[in-house]
Amino acid sequence: MEVYDYLRENSWFYHQYIPCVEFDQDGQLLPFSITGEEWGDFLCALFDEWYKSDITRVSIRLFDSILAYLVDGQRTICHMGLNCCQYFVVEYNGDIFPCDFFVQEDLRLGNILTHSWDQLAENKNYISFGSQKTQWNAACVECLYQDICAGDCLKHRLNPGDDPRTLSWLCSGWKQFYNHSLPYFKQIAEEIKRDRQQARSMPPSAFKGVGRNDPCPCGSGKKYKKCCLNRQEP
């Protein structure tokens, strides 16, 4: 947890961790890539360190997204989504692609100078690409964590082949992490729901004069702007 400690000690409290998995043209894993087991070990260690004292202090994008799903049913991170038609990548020359992990000529959708956003969104290649997300491996259908994992990112399923039903290269790591952490995430989610209910019962005067970056009066430990502000403003 050297990287996490360094970021935290230097007051960088908004983190995102992306697994490095790359294959060469022959489908061979490149030497700097991690395995599923390494990814699982890392996430479990990261969670344990965060859970000890940083739940309301350090924002880790993956952890925030898990809680958003458990509390609100929202899939706020793309690899947890059910379709990959979520955004476009615009290259320096205006070329459009469906994902920053799939900037490749056979997936070029058009160019911002010649195509409208509506045309791009209706592009058959874009729709076909996005629909692959739920073309899961048979093991995913039976998996306890399928609803929250959603088969993982296509980047980890379409390499080295082109079949979206390929099991994610990181599958074992995700299973290890969710088995380890999900009971605790569910507890945190219930606490968030209780905090929200408490906030709803607080009079408007309790929030008078509270700054956007001040601790929220409801006691959640979050900043006011990240917690009850949206429920107080019309």
Side-chain angles (χ1 to χ4, degrees):
M1 288 297 98
E2 182 177 350
V3 172
Y4 180 76
D5 290 341
Y6 174 81
L7 294 173
R8 181 175 53 181
E9 290 167 4
N10 285 276
S11 300
W12 291 320
F13 299 133
Y14 297 90
H15 302 185
Q16 181 179 4
Y17 299 93
I18 301 175
C20 187
V21 178
E22 297 290 343
F23 296 85
D24 64 20
Q25 294 181 346
D26 297 322
Q28 299 299 312
L29 193 70
L30 293 174
F32 53 78
S33 299
I34 65 170
T35 65
E37 289 71 18
E38 289 171 331
W39 180 234
D41 289 344
F42 170 77
L43 287 180
C44 289
L46 178 66
F47 175 83
D48 289 345
E49 190 63 27
W50 173 80
Y51 185 76
K52 284 193 299 186
S53 58
D54 293 331
I55 292 176
T56 60
R57 189 164 71 112
V58 178
S59 171
I60 297 176
R61 189 184 183 199
L62 171 63
F63 296 177
D64 290 348
S65 297
I66 292 171
L67 289 170
Y69 179 71
L70 294 176
V71 174
D72 297 316
Q74 296 181 355
R75 300 177 183 272
T76 61
I77 195 169
C78 58
H79 74 77
M80 289 173 58
L82 301 179
N83 191 292
C84 287
C85 294
Q86 299 191 27
Y87 61 88
F88 297 110
V89 172
V90 183
E91 285 288 272
Y92 71 96
N93 63 351
D95 283 349
I96 307 294
F97 298 88
C99 173
D100 48 334
F101 289 130
F102 290 91
V103 178
Q104 53 196 59
E105 189 57 34
D106 61 325
L107 288 175
R108 180 181 176 275
L109 304 176
N111 189 284
I112 192 62
L113 300 177
T114 57
H115 295 75
S116 70
W117 293 120
D118 288 340
Q119 288 176 320
L120 293 165
E122 295 170 0
N123 184 293
K124 292 181 180 180
N125 288 337
Y126 184 56
I127 295 172
S128 176
F129 175 82
S131 67
Q132 294 179 101
K133 190 64 168 67
T134 52
Q135 295 175 28
W136 295 310
N137 184 281
C140 293
V141 179
E142 304 297 329
C143 181
L144 293 174
Y145 311 115
Q146 184 270 335
D147 64 323
I148 196 167
C149 173
D152 196 14
C153 178
L154 284 176
K155 176 179 181 291
H156 304 138
R157 291 160 52 186
L158 294 179
N159 286 307
D162 295 319
D163 188 349
R165 293 169 298 181
T166 301
L167 202 62
S168 167
W169 174 257
L170 300 176
C171 176
S172 61
W174 285 118
K175 284 184 176 180
Q176 177 186 350
F177 168 61
Y178 284 124
N179 181 65
H180 176 75
S181 65
L182 205 51
Y184 300 98
F185 276 122
K186 289 179 178 178
Q187 290 177 9
I188 299 170
E190 290 304 313
E191 292 173 5
I192 293 173
K193 292 176 183 178
R194 287 196 296 270
D195 288 342
R196 287 183 176 181
Q197 185 61 39
Q198 177 183 346
R200 292 189 185 99
S201 65
M202 295 176 69
S205 59
F207 300 91
K208 187 176 182 180
V210 179
R212 289 173 54 82
N213 291 309
D214 293 339
C216 188
C218 78
S220 67
K222 299 180 180 179
K223 291 183 178 180
Y224 181 42
K225 67 182 179 182
K226 294 288 187 179
C227 191
C228 292
L229 175 61
N230 292 332
R231 290 189 288 277
Q232 298 301 316
E233 294 181 339

